Amino acid sequence: MRRVDYMLGGENFKEMTAAHFMQTDVYYYSNDSRGDRLATAITMGGFGSVPIVDKDKTLKGIVSEFDLLKAILNGKELDKITAEDIMTKEPVFVTEDTRSEEIINLLQNKHLIRAPVVDKEGKLIGVVARRDILQGYLKSKEAPPSWWF
């Protein structure tokens, strides 16, 4: 679920934050998740990556399509490797207070499709994707309903 889905329109896009855009229903996995399971989640879910967390949901890494393809090119069998073996261990992330323009710049400069959103303790609370920000932008440009005034 995203807050942007319930917005009425007329918001200031520049003031909007990851909390407005992020998906809160997120698939995440542990360090010991096998590569084939991660590949299935990514392909079936239509994600470009999945967050890797510890038992407390603290973000530990991220596994992307790139990481999986690199493992295959290096001769690895996905059913014999784990997230720990291939994940990016210092993933790019944002907090729920990160503003829209900063998120856009981060995604653009790092060539990312999505980024995990963490709270002040580093625990995963959502994921924000380029598509979510575009939807937020469009919603912000809509006129609020006439009954709102």
Side-chain angles (χ1 to χ4, degrees), residues 51-142:
I52 307 301
V53 300
D54 66 14
K55 61 181 170 55
D56 297 322
K57 283 186 69 177
T58 300
L59 183 65
K60 294 299 180 186
I62 197 160
V63 171
S64 68
E65 294 165 323
F66 176 81
D67 298 319
L68 292 161
L69 292 173
K70 183 177 175 185
I72 292 168
L73 278 177
N74 288 332
K76 307 284 186 194
E77 294 290 331
L78 295 185
D79 62 341
K80 296 186 176 27
I81 59 173
T82 65
E84 178 75 26
D85 299 328
I86 62 171
M87 71 183 182
T88 301
K89 293 186 168 106
E90 294 183 19
V92 173
F93 63 87
V94 298
T95 66
E96 57 193 326
D97 299 326
T98 306
R99 292 194 187 245
S100 59
E101 288 184 339
E102 187 177 344
I103 299 168
I104 293 169
N105 284 326
L106 181 74
L107 295 175
Q108 294 289 86
N109 293 336
K110 299 288 185 179
H111 304 283
L112 301 172
I113 295 170
R114 58 201 306 246
V117 182
V118 299
D119 66 13
K120 290 174 179 42
E121 288 80 42
K123 295 184 187 317
L124 181 69
I125 57 172
V127 170
V128 63
R130 294 183 303 200
R131 182 175 298 145
D132 301 325
I133 295 169
L134 286 171
Q135 183 179 4
Y137 173 82
L138 293 173
K139 277 291 224 184
S140 75
K141 297 302 179 188
E142 290 178 4

